[in-house]
Amino acid sequence: MAARAMNPVQALSDAAHRPYWLDDPSRPEALPALVGDEHCDLLVVGGGYSGLWTALRAKERDPGRDVVLIEAQETGWAASGRNGGFCSASLTHGWANGASRWPDELATLHELGLKNLDDIEATLARYGIDCDFERTGEIDIATAPHQVHELQEAAEELEALGITGYEYLDRDALRAEVHSPTFLAGLWDRDGVAMLHPARLAWGLKRACTELGVRIYEHTPGTELSSRTAGLAVRTPYGRVFARHAALGTNAFPSLVKRVRPYIAPVYDYALMTEPLSAEQLAAVGWKGRQGLGDAANHFHYFRITPDHRILWGGYDIVYHYGGGVRSEYDHHPATYQKLAEHFFRCFPQLEDVRFTHSWGGAIDTCSRFSAFFGTAHGGKVAYALGYTGLGVGATRFGADVMLDLLSGERTERTELEMVRSKPLPFPPEPVRSMGIGITQWSMTKADENGGRRNLWLKAMDKVGLGFDS
């Protein structure tokens, strides 16, 4: 067991360096790029979840609205096809983050998040989108003694706030769900998280959009946005799109509204996928409930089991590159793959013979408050939603409705939220940004090693509301 855990190289030797989810025979053919000029009522920039939900919701709200979507690569190619497939009801990157930032709105945000998840489930049924959606919930797991106390306190706080659907699991109850010698306790969000195949969700939304009349152009990056008397113009490599309004779902990539760029720090997250487990291996881990799992450390892992009995294991490292660049060469990080493999075998020593078939990474649009922020530009003709910080699988649908509300000028329950009306603190410019992120990373590691005790740096960051996470 120990020898295997210390030697992940062999387990990784045959792993393909590409996202498991995109390595799928059902992947649709790319649509043609835009050549020439287009005209529409609404232009959506970005073919990930944010853009796809916006285009779909725009047509559902007003079937007569003429909608065009442009995507720089292919639909679902970036974060929407590379994530763990955790579709959370949370709009605030967890209830604790929401409680610390918008305590007076927490109940409303919780209800809106659950409704959003219900609406996602209903949308999948309505359009026949098969993306392995399973509402299994997610368990936060304590792997250190101080985390046990933190989960107990969290369970008590949730009960005091009247937030239901959570269950505290002691060591025996947790290990009855999933077998690992490292598990000490858990907090199970029973109904607020679904597992799904992230790329198939994106491809299903793409199909639904086109069936409703959305014109999608792939391999068509938006390179420049300008205002015009009657609306907007977005330039692309081989043409232009003229629109009355635009919604930007570019997330980790540089926004066409340059003034919002300081609010985002692109960070890279990495994951591994195992080969399918045998019947004997499945019995050794249990996991019959198929819940999503995540440990409660600052540098945390997230992991889940797929319908074909593979285990996805990701997280821990949060890699930021000086200057905040987003480049294809950053999608792979062998040192992190090796570290993740070591941690996997420590968690599941009974799977010592398992090999990994895929290893990959991708960029996350981190912001300092860990949850999305919203706004308009160009006199209200452009709306944007950014900063989902790794929890955008579900929250992007809510963000799509916020953008459409803002473009319409409507005052809605969503637009009246302080969460929607406020902005996070921007990250400082380089080199201070890289230095600050480096100190924060080091401090988070030390906190994990020292019983969760946060040093003066982290306490200062907490006080001013400036955080760094994935």
Side-chain angles (χ1 to χ4, degrees):
M1 177 190 74
R4 179 63 176 177
M6 293 299 291
N7 181 27
V9 175
Q10 186 178 0
L12 289 163
S13 61
D14 296 326
H17 295 320
R18 57 180 179 269
Y20 168 78
W21 309 114
L22 298 177
D23 197 9
D24 188 309
S26 66
R27 183 173 181 170
E29 293 291 324
L31 295 172
L34 173 65
V35 178
D37 290 348
E38 257 284 19
H39 295 79
C40 60
D41 296 325
L42 173 66
L43 170 64
V44 179
V45 180
Y49 298 141
S50 187
L52 291 165
W53 279 119
T54 303
L56 184 69
R57 292 293 296 134
K59 293 295 284 187
E60 288 180 334
R61 287 180 172 206
D62 180 3
R65 184 180 304 182
D66 191 24
V67 180
V68 167
L69 184 150
I70 60 173
E71 161 56 36
Q73 297 285 336
E74 294 182 26
T75 300
W77 166 84
S80 298
R82 297 167 185 263
N83 62 82
F86 288 63
C87 186
S88 174
S90 177
L91 305 175
T92 61
H93 209 276
W95 69 270
N97 188 51
S100 68
R101 298 181 187 277
W102 307 287
D104 295 339
E105 293 181 347
L106 185 62
T108 299
L109 289 166
H110 181 69
E111 291 172 7
L112 288 172
L114 287 173
K115 182 180 185 305
N116 184 62
L117 185 57
D118 290 341
D119 289 341
I120 289 172
E121 187 171 9
T123 299
L124 301 182
R126 184 162 64 251
Y127 293 103
I129 297 174
D130 182 6
C131 60
D132 298 330
F133 185 94
E134 297 180 273
R135 204 150 173 177
T136 59
E138 179 182 6
I139 305 176
D140 288 336
I141 294 170
T143 57
H146 73 274
Q147 296 167 8
V148 175
H149 300 301
E150 290 171 358
L151 292 185
Q152 289 172 330
E153 290 174 357
E156 293 168 2
E157 277 191 63
L158 285 163
E159 184 176 2
L161 290 167
I163 296 177
T164 61
Y166 286 80
E167 179 183 355
Y168 176 78
L169 305 174
D170 63 18
R171 187 188 67 176
D172 292 341
L174 175 58
R175 294 185 186 182
E177 296 293 333
V178 186
H179 309 318
S180 170
T182 67
F183 292 178
L184 303 179
L187 185 61
W188 187 356
D189 179 357
R190 281 187 166 273
D191 195 47
V193 183
M195 297 292 104
L196 52 76
H197 187 304
R200 289 183 188 169
L201 172 59
W203 300 334
L205 292 173
K206 171 183 174 179
R207 174 180 56 79
C209 284
T210 56
E211 289 175 353
L212 292 180
V214 177
R215 299 190 298 287
I216 297 177
Y217 297 96
E218 296 182 311
H219 296 288
T220 304
T223 59
E224 182 183 352
L225 184 154
S226 58
S227 282
R228 303 171 67 87
T229 303
L232 304 155
V234 171
R235 186 172 295 279
T236 72
Y238 305 108
R240 294 171 298 178
V241 183
F242 298 95
R244 292 176 54 207
H245 295 103
L248 307 182
T250 50
N251 298 309
F253 297 90
S255 175
L256 290 175
V257 177
K258 293 182 181 180
R259 61 180 165 83
V260 305
R261 293 181 184 180
Y263 292 97
I264 294 296
V267 299
Y268 278 78
D269 176 56
Y270 299 91
L272 307 175
M273 186 70 86
T274 72
E275 63 190 350
L277 304 188
S278 67
E280 182 181 2
Q281 290 166 332
L282 282 171
V285 295
W287 216 339
K288 295 178 182 178
R290 308 178 58 79
Q291 307 94 331
L293 306 177
D295 61 59
N298 290 308
H299 286 287
F300 62 90
H301 305 87
Y302 56 87
F303 39 119
R304 50 81 57 94
I305 193 163
T306 66
D308 61 346
H309 310 311
R310 299 170 182 264
I311 294 177
L312 178 145
W313 179 267
Y316 194 77
D317 277 349
I318 310 168
V319 180
Y320 173 78
H321 296 276
Y322 187 91
V326 180
R327 301 177 184 173
S328 59
E329 57 262 38
Y330 297 159
D331 290 343
H332 302 294
H333 204 251
T336 295
Y337 299 151
Q338 183 167 326
K339 192 183 300 181
L340 284 172
E342 291 172 356
H343 297 174
F344 175 86
F345 290 118
R346 189 180 306 152
C347 181
F348 295 119
Q350 66 270 46
L351 300 180
E352 60 182 359
D353 296 326
V354 167
R355 300 176 71 89
F356 299 101
T357 62
H358 294 76
S359 58
W360 72 94
I364 292 172
D365 59 330
T366 293
C367 74
S368 64
R369 74 182 193 186
F370 312 145
S371 55
F373 64 94
F374 313 90
T376 60
H378 292 270
K381 292 181 286 189
V382 176
Y384 56 82
L386 294 165
Y388 289 97
T389 316
L391 247 68
V393 179
T396 44
R397 184 189 178 279
F398 174 84
D401 274 323
V402 171
M403 284 196 284
L404 295 170
D405 289 349
L406 293 172
L407 289 175
S408 71
E410 292 181 67
R411 292 182 61 178
T412 67
E413 183 179 28
R414 289 179 289 265
T415 63
E416 293 299 296
L417 291 167
E418 176 63 22
M419 175 193 171
V420 170
R421 293 186 289 112
S422 63
K423 294 281 195 300
L425 288 173
F427 292 104
E430 298 289 13
V432 177
R433 175 185 289 205
S434 288
M435 293 171 58
I437 288 173
I439 295 170
T440 302
Q441 292 269 48
W442 178 85
S443 299
M444 290 165 65
T445 300
K446 288 300 179 183
D448 285 337
E449 295 171 351
N450 296 322
R453 290 186 292 275
R454 298 172 75 79
N455 63 16
L456 291 176
W457 175 267
L458 291 180
K459 289 178 180 177
M461 294 299 99
D462 293 341
K463 189 171 183 178
V464 301
L466 186 63
F468 181 74
D469 203 351
S470 69

